[in-house]
Amino acid sequence: MTYCVGMVLDKGLVLMSDTRTNSGVDNISVFRKMMHWEQPGERVIAVMTAGNLATTQAVISQLEERTKTPGERRNTVYDAPTMFQVATEIGRLLRDTIDERQAANGAQGQGRFTASMIVAGQIKGMEPRLFLIYPEGNFIEASWDTPFFQIGETKYGRPILIRAYDRGMSFEDAVKLLMVSFDSTLKANLSVGLPLDMMVIERDTFAAGHQRRITHEDTYFQAISAGWSDSLRNAFNELPDYSFYASADETA
Amino acid sequence: MTYCVGMVLDKGLVLMSDTRTNSGVDNISVFRKMMHWEQPGERVIAVMTAGNLATTQAVISQLEERTKTPGERRNTVYDAPTMFQVATEIGRLLRDTIDERQAANGAQGQGRFTASMIVAGQIKGMEPRLFLIYPEGNFIEASWDTPFFQIGETKYGRPILIRAYDRGMSFEDAVKLLMVSFDSTLKANLSVGLPLDMMVIERDTFAAGHQRRITHEDTYFQAISAGWSDSLRNAFNELPDYSFYASADETA
């Protein structure tokens, strides 16, 4: 599996992804699932991927190939005029890659080659935008009501995102929140693993901002992981105590 | 979906289940998913169910029927000599019910009629025991290493269970913990819904102890639900702050 989160803040975009890939439990590898392209001062576009690794790598490689064939640059992440068109083109590539693989493997391969992606970025003159791309190639965009997207193993880390996310939060707080969400997921599911990749895209800089790979040795992540266990237990202890005798609707 | 949790404590067993059943999102009902049988002073046995409602009701009805045919009482929850045999018999009933339904519906019905169950209880002269029964009819038992089982929509509520569960905790704290776990699940997934059913089986009482149905109007649950959001945010704020400049492995 995988766990990736992209969120929109007033200040810009924050992305985090894990790096574990597995085919069964005895074939585990580390692969980067976050890629980005930038033309400093003009645009920055980032992609995070979940699902069949051969599929997602094929899509990323095709995007890369196009950017490296000057003169034939069309429909690339560098020349699409809007983030909407970037998402449309990546969606098309994703669907085509999956369709081709499924067709080559007949009904037997049904569903085996699917993948989904988060696309984030900003192009000069426009707002930062965040998209979730489905295996079918269509996509949805983050909004005021739904300001973050998760792909992969999304459930363990969702409750804290729902409760602590705030559009006005600082990048530092957003990174802290993502680390807590990832730590909850790492602790519960073997298919999500360290190291993590993290990137901040500050609004109107049109460049990849703060980037970091968070490994087992990362002292801040260690502090969050240990501290969150203690904090949760303290928070739990501070809640009002249950009594077997206080309730009106008690039946036994 | 469904969410049910059974846990073993030093003091006994604690069970909680939701009551939402749905067939699509426009056909939602309330059904009790926790049943129990007791011979006061001799045994108490409880079952919680997740999965296809027709399947789980068929299993429960067959268990009920047997207890109501005196003279023919065999393999009932009342006369099985051990909890292991109770679990074996319920597993057999579950598998047979699923097999029958699948066979009647051909390959088309593959997987549609599955269900899983948690069986908990104590028989005089033996320890309290807790089992998780799979659709295949086999089962596993809770142990010192894995002292609680979840069925249904298990992921959202798992991180807090992992961190706050303690075998030596009081029944009151266990109920509080379950309410937090259920609240996290309710907030994230529409297929799990109030009211909740809760039951405590105190060790060596051989009787259903404290039981309660927790509705929207339950003031304690309301306090937990609201308080946990605040507590989580406070816990999050108390964690050390992230800095973009402090880390050795910073790359940008």
Side-chain angles (χ1 to χ4, degrees):
Chain A
M1 207 77 173
T2 284
Y3 184 38
C4 303
V5 183
M7 50 172 66
V8 183
L9 304 177
D10 288 339
K11 297 190 168 58
L13 302 158
V14 186
L15 312 175
M16 193 175 283
S17 59
D18 85 316
T19 53
R20 179 159 295 173
T21 66
N22 67 302
S23 173
V25 289
D26 56 353
N27 188 358
I28 291 174
S29 309
V30 173
F31 280 94
R32 193 174 170 87
K33 301 171 190 172
M34 184 193 294
M35 271 64 60
H36 75 277
W37 296 266
E38 61 182 335
Q39 272 184 331
E42 200 274 324
R43 69 176 60 198
V44 55
I45 291 162
V47 176
M48 292 186 292
T49 63
N52 182 272
L53 185 63
T55 297
T56 59
Q57 285 200 347
V59 172
I60 297 298
S61 296
Q62 287 175 79
L63 287 172
E64 277 286 345
E65 288 273 292
R66 289 184 186 181
T67 64
K68 286 170 182 163
T69 318
E72 283 194 36
R73 266 200 195 175
R74 48 181 182 73
N75 291 330
T76 76
V77 289
Y78 288 130
D79 69 357
T82 64
M83 283 302 299
F84 177 82
Q85 292 199 27
V86 170
T88 302
E89 187 55 27
I90 294 176
R92 187 178 357 243
L93 267 177
L94 177 60
R95 192 200 56 224
D96 288 351
T97 304
I98 295 171
D99 282 354
E100 196 180 306
R101 205 38 50 204
Q102 306 277 45
N105 285 271
Q108 198 190 9
Q110 198 66 30
R112 274 174 59 205
F113 303 102
T114 80
S116 54
M117 298 189 169
I118 289 173
V119 175
Q122 188 180 14
I123 295 174
K124 196 163 186 174
M126 286 168 277
E127 287 289 294
R129 294 174 78 174
L130 179 72
F131 299 91
L132 172 61
I133 302 187
Y134 296 108
E136 291 78 3
N138 57 351
F139 53 84
I140 56 175
E141 182 173 3
S143 66
W144 276 94
D145 296 318
T146 301
F148 59 84
F149 289 133
Q150 306 166 282
I151 53 176
E153 193 59 62
T154 61
K155 296 185 180 184
Y156 304 105
R158 189 168 177 80
I160 184 63
L161 289 182
I162 292 175
R163 308 221 203 201
Y165 170 87
D166 172 5
R167 198 181 179 101
M169 73 201 310
S170 67
F171 284 131
E172 286 84 352
D173 275 356
V175 169
K176 185 164 94 169
L177 175 57
L178 286 173
M179 286 200 187
V180 170
S181 176
F182 272 74
D183 182 56
S184 291
T185 309
L186 291 165
K187 280 214 169 49
N189 195 300
L190 288 178
S191 74
V192 178
L194 290 171
L196 310 177
D197 289 308
M198 183 251 289
M199 187 166 81
V200 168
I201 298 175
E202 196 175 343
R203 168 187 280 271
D204 297 340
T205 59
F206 309 106
H210 186 70
Q211 289 175 64
R212 204 160 132 199
R213 172 153 283 201
I214 297 144
T215 68
H216 283 97
E217 288 83 43
D218 189 285
T219 51
Y220 181 73
F221 186 73
Q222 288 170 357
I224 289 292
S225 182
W228 186 238
S229 286
D230 294 340
S231 297
L232 268 189
R233 272 190 293 269
N234 292 342
F236 177 70
N237 290 333
E238 280 164 23
L239 287 176
D241 284 328
Y242 182 70
S243 162
F244 283 1
Y245 308 104
S247 282
D249 53 343
E250 192 176 308
T251 61
Chain B
M1 206 77 171
T2 282
Y3 184 38
C4 302
V5 183
M7 50 172 66
V8 183
L9 303 177
D10 289 339
K11 296 191 170 57
L13 301 157
V14 186
L15 312 174
M16 194 175 282
S17 59
D18 85 316
T19 52
R20 180 159 295 175
T21 66
N22 67 301
S23 173
V25 289
D26 56 353
N27 187 357
I28 292 173
S29 309
V30 174
F31 279 94
R32 191 174 172 87
K33 300 171 191 173
M34 184 193 295
M35 271 65 58
H36 75 277
W37 296 267
E38 63 181 334
Q39 272 183 330
E42 200 275 325
R43 70 175 59 199
V44 56
I45 291 161
V47 175
M48 293 186 291
T49 63
N52 181 272
L53 185 63
T55 297
T56 59
Q57 285 200 347
V59 173
I60 297 297
S61 295
Q62 286 174 80
L63 288 172
E64 278 284 346
E65 288 273 292
R66 289 183 186 182
T67 65
K68 286 171 182 162
T69 319
E72 283 192 37
R73 265 199 196 173
R74 50 183 180 72
N75 292 328
T76 75
V77 289
Y78 288 129
D79 69 357
T82 64
M83 282 302 298
F84 177 82
Q85 293 199 28
V86 169
T88 303
E89 188 54 28
I90 294 176
R92 186 178 359 243
L93 268 177
L94 177 59
R95 193 200 56 224
D96 288 351
T97 304
I98 295 171
D99 283 355
E100 196 180 307
R101 203 41 47 206
Q102 306 278 44
N105 286 270
Q108 197 191 9
Q110 198 68 29
R112 272 175 59 203
F113 304 101
T114 81
S116 54
M117 298 190 171
I118 290 173
V119 175
Q122 188 180 15
I123 296 174
K124 196 164 188 175
M126 287 168 277
E127 288 290 294
R129 294 174 78 175
L130 179 71
F131 299 91
L132 171 62
I133 302 186
Y134 296 108
E136 292 79 4
N138 58 351
F139 52 85
I140 56 175
E141 182 173 2
S143 67
W144 276 93
D145 296 317
T146 302
F148 59 84
F149 289 134
Q150 305 167 282
I151 53 176
E153 192 58 63
T154 62
K155 297 185 178 183
Y156 305 105
R158 190 168 177 81
I160 184 64
L161 290 181
I162 291 175
R163 311 223 201 199
Y165 171 86
D166 172 5
R167 200 180 177 99
M169 74 201 311
S170 67
F171 284 131
E172 287 83 354
D173 275 355
V175 168
K176 185 164 92 169
L177 174 56
L178 286 173
M179 285 200 188
V180 171
S181 177
F182 272 75
D183 181 56
S184 290
T185 309
L186 290 164
K187 281 212 167 50
N189 194 298
L190 287 178
S191 74
V192 178
L194 290 172
L196 311 177
D197 288 310
M198 183 251 289
M199 186 165 79
V200 168
I201 298 176
E202 196 175 344
R203 169 187 279 270
D204 298 339
T205 59
F206 309 106
H210 186 71
Q211 290 175 64
R212 204 161 131 198
R213 173 153 282 200
I214 297 144
T215 66
H216 283 98
E217 287 83 43
D218 189 285
T219 49
Y220 181 73
F221 186 74
Q222 287 169 358
I224 290 292
S225 181
W228 186 239
S229 287
D230 293 341
S231 298
L232 269 189
R233 272 190 293 268
N234 292 342
F236 177 72
N237 289 333
E238 280 164 22
L239 286 176
D241 283 329
Y242 182 70
S243 162
F244 283 179
Y245 307 104
S247 283
D249 52 346
E250 193 177 309
T251 61

